[in-house]
Amino acid sequence: DIVEQRAAEIKPKVNHFRNLRGCVYFDDHSGQARILLRGNGLDVPHAGSSYRPDQLAVHLDDVHTRGCDFKLPLDALGVCTLGERMQKAKLMQAVMRLRDLDFSQSIVLIGRDSIKEDVQRANGIGRQQNPDMKHVLNWATYNTIRGIDDQLYSVAQKRAISCFQHVAVEASMALSRD
């Protein structure tokens, strides 16, 4: 079974989490990367720390993924949370923080049951089939198209109203001249 095979591949990496010394995150107040140390909860600056990349988890939320460049171990495991109506650009931005996915880095996608159902529905697959990365990418692309379609309708509607108003003003001015 593909799910069991994938779980067997990921298990050693998940077990590695138990050995991590802390987690790097961005502090919004200082604008700096910080490390939350495991065990004692101390918060120390990332810059100048003696921790190696393989000793730390890195937390990147949606706001902080753009422009960051952390050296990640070649065997890093990324966890990407899927949000409601997530669009392709956000998904790719999150996933591509792992620059060596074609080698030994891997990614786990997680989300609520409602998102799994949306992915299944968008791909026309049954509830018994677990979506894979291709299904998630199709779903995110569908969400992007749907988002653009919604925006275009609103813009087109406003533009049409503006055109009608302009034509009405022009017609009113022509009638008043006659």
Side-chain angles (χ1 to χ4, degrees):
D1 181 45
I2 190 75
V3 175
E4 290 175 6
Q5 179 185 351
R6 189 73 179 125
E9 291 171 7
I10 292 173
K11 188 174 181 180
K13 293 181 180 187
V14 172
N15 286 337
H16 174 71
F17 286 135
R18 294 185 181 111
N19 299 323
L20 293 176
R21 304 290 303 274
C23 181
V24 179
Y25 72 99
F26 279 98
D27 179 34
D28 286 330
H29 298 293
S30 69
Q32 301 295 312
R34 311 249 333 143
I35 303 172
L36 182 62
L37 295 175
R38 185 179 203 162
N40 61 16
L42 289 177
D43 184 307
V44 299
H46 180 260
S49 78
S50 60
Y51 295 103
R52 297 184 321 269
D54 65 331
Q55 294 177 309
L56 300 169
V58 178
H59 174 263
L60 299 171
D61 59 13
D62 186 45
V63 174
H64 298 106
T65 59
R66 287 165 171 52
C68 73
D69 193 23
F70 285 103
K71 288 210 178 279
L72 300 172
L74 288 176
D75 64 345
L77 169 66
V79 179
C80 178
T81 55
L82 303 175
E84 297 288 331
R85 294 183 300 276
M86 185 177 209
Q87 294 189 3
K88 185 180 173 189
K90 282 190 179 188
L91 174 64
M92 297 311 293
Q93 185 69 30
V95 170
M96 294 313 295
R97 293 297 94 203
L98 293 172
R99 298 219 167 96
D100 291 307
L101 281 171
D102 53 342
F103 293 107
S104 58
Q105 291 181 341
S106 55
I107 189 99
V108 175
L109 304 171
I110 59 173
R112 294 185 183 137
D113 286 340
S114 62
I115 293 173
K116 178 181 176 182
E117 291 166 6
D118 286 347
V119 172
Q120 290 167 325
R121 194 173 18 263
N123 285 278
I125 60 175
R127 289 184 171 212
Q128 296 78 18
Q129 184 177 350
N130 281 322
D132 59 21
M133 184 61 189
K134 181 183 94 175
H135 295 122
V136 172
L137 185 57
N138 288 342
W139 166 77
T141 302
Y142 170 76
N143 290 338
T144 302
I145 292 167
R146 193 171 63 185
I148 290 170
D149 188 41
D150 291 346
Q151 291 171 359
L152 284 178
Y153 176 76
S154 174
V155 168
Q157 185 180 33
K158 288 176 186 173
R159 182 70 180 136
I161 290 170
S162 175
C163 287
F164 289 137
Q165 288 172 339
H166 178 72
V167 168
V169 168
E170 290 291 322
S172 175
M173 289 174 53
L175 287 173
S176 66
R177 285 187 290 228
D178 292 338

